[in-house]
Amino acid sequence: MSKKQTLDHPHFLKLFKKEGILSIKEGNGKVITLMSPDKWRSEMGNDWIYLLFDIFQIRSICEQYSEVSLDIVEFASKPTIYHSKPNRVIPEGPLINDTLKFSLIREPNWNKLLFQISKPTLVKIATEAKADVKTDLLFPLFSPGTKEMYLGAEGDVKILKG
């Protein structure tokens, strides 16, 4: 019988809340860095992805979406990174070609950690940072089946990586 894989939520959350940034070595041995969006600076680069725990958080980072676009996010069966126009009210953030990237994380353990952080959180995947903590749990966006799509506010959809 294999050991159940989980995250040490209280420990990870305490470290994240203290500094607003946390590097985690996940189950594949790759390091991801979680960061509060208010800590982001342009010199940190634009290859960050907003992580969401709930579909309603999209409104806080992106322009108003059509029902079609929301349905695509809500019913996606595989990990997906979406590219969309940012909400005009969000402060400066990591943009590439005037779009931001986000992903709705459904894996229960990672979702719970994001829920406890309680706001959209930036992640940089496969960083060179030294890990603060580690887990045996795999980070969902490292899946070979991870897709990338552009979603427009008017319902326009473009598959970038299938």
Side-chain angles (χ1 to χ4, degrees), residues 2 24 46 63 66 69 88 94 112 130 140 147 159-160:
S2 67
I24 305 169
N46 292 333
E63 289 182 347
S66 70
S69 295
R88 290 176 192 91
K112 181 178 177 183
K130 181 182 178 293
K147 299 179 180 320
I159 296 172
L160 305 173

Side-chain angles (χ1 to χ4, degrees), residues 46-52 61-62 80-86 94-96 98-103 121-123 125 148-149 160:
N46 292 333
D47 52 346
W48 294 82
I49 301 166
Y50 285 88
L51 297 182
L52 310 178
I61 62 168
C62 294
T80 305
I81 298 169
Y82 301 96
H83 300 241
S84 294
K85 296 286 183 192
L95 302 178
I96 297 173
D98 295 326
T99 62
L100 59 76
K101 294 192 280 187
F102 75 90
S103 185
T121 303
L122 290 172
V123 68
I125 54 179
E148 290 196 41
M149 303 178 99
L160 305 173

Side-chain angles (χ1 to χ4, degrees), residues 13 23 100 141-143:
L13 186 62
S23 292
L100 59 76
L141 296 182
F142 285 131
S143 165

Side-chain angles (χ1 to χ4, degrees), residues 10 56-57 62 65 85 102 114 117-118 120 126 133 138 150 159:
F56 296 108
Q57 289 184 296
C62 294
Y65 266 175
K85 296 286 183 192
F102 75 90
L114 293 170
I117 291 172
S118 74
V133 292
L138 303 176
Y150 172 81
I159 296 172

Side-chain angles (χ1 to χ4, degrees), residues 10 12 18 46 55 64 72 78 113 139 158-159:
F12 286 18
K18 183 179 177 189
N46 292 333
I55 193 163
Q64 184 85 24
I72 288 170
K78 295 198 172 16
L113 179 62
F139 185 66
K158 184 177 184 181
I159 296 172

Side-chain angles (χ1 to χ4, degrees), residues 33-71:
T33 300
L34 299 178
M35 183 170 58
S36 179
D38 60 346
K39 299 284 185 191
W40 180 85
R41 303 289 175 261
S42 59
E43 60 270 11
M44 296 174 168
N46 292 333
D47 52 346
W48 294 82
I49 301 166
Y50 285 88
L51 297 182
L52 310 178
F53 64 83
D54 185 87
I55 193 163
F56 296 108
Q57 289 184 296
I58 293 172
R59 292 184 181 133
S60 66
I61 62 168
C62 294
E63 289 182 347
Q64 184 85 24
Y65 266 175
S66 70
E67 289 299 316
V68 171
S69 295
L70 284 174
D71 286 349

